Amino acid sequence: MPRYLSLIQIDESTAPAEGPSPELMQRMGELLEEITKAGVMLDTAGLTPTAQGKRVHWAGGELSVTDGPFTESKEVVGGYALMQCKDMAEALEWTKRFLKVHEEHWTVTCEVREIMEG
């Protein structure tokens, strides 16, 4: 079965400074338990804020490292999910369910892409 990577992009300006609410974490936990029991979820995790990250860039034969936060980025990768699904339609259904557990004040986008094998 094909594997899909869902890159979870968040707008850090709409994310609560204290992080997700306990209610959101409970709904998320219930969904993650369901998707894991269904044999779909291979791995998932959230990422620390961009203020704690580094960006490494290669251009013109030179490397540069920039400390976060990355002010030029409105939406940043906030996490990922690695899923094994029968097709893109199934991967999209699970992703839609993930997005719907968030409260309305969150701005979250998931980019779902099939992983190239071999």
Side-chain angles (χ1 to χ4, degrees), residues 24-44:
L24 171 56
M25 294 307 295
Q26 180 178 343
R27 290 190 304 272
M28 187 75 63
E30 291 168 358
L31 178 62
L32 290 176
E33 183 177 337
E34 181 182 350
I35 192 171
T36 300
K37 284 182 178 177
V40 171
M41 184 64 70
L42 300 176
D43 190 26
T44 187

Side-chain angles (χ1 to χ4, degrees), residues 9-26:
Q9 300 170 333
I10 63 168
D11 181 339
E12 288 187 320
S13 69
T14 66
E18 66 278 4
S21 68
E23 297 82 12
L24 171 56
M25 294 307 295
Q26 180 178 343

Side-chain angles (χ1 to χ4, degrees), residues 59-96:
E62 299 287 328
L63 278 174
S64 63
V65 178
T66 306
D67 293 337
F70 312 118
T71 56
E72 68 275 6
S73 300
K74 181 177 178 184
E75 288 187 337
V76 298
V77 177
Y80 69 93
L82 179 60
M83 302 177 287
Q84 189 164 28
C85 302
K86 64 183 177 195
D87 55 24
M88 177 64 85
E90 182 183 16
L92 289 175
E93 284 307 311
W94 285 112
T95 300
K96 290 175 187 177

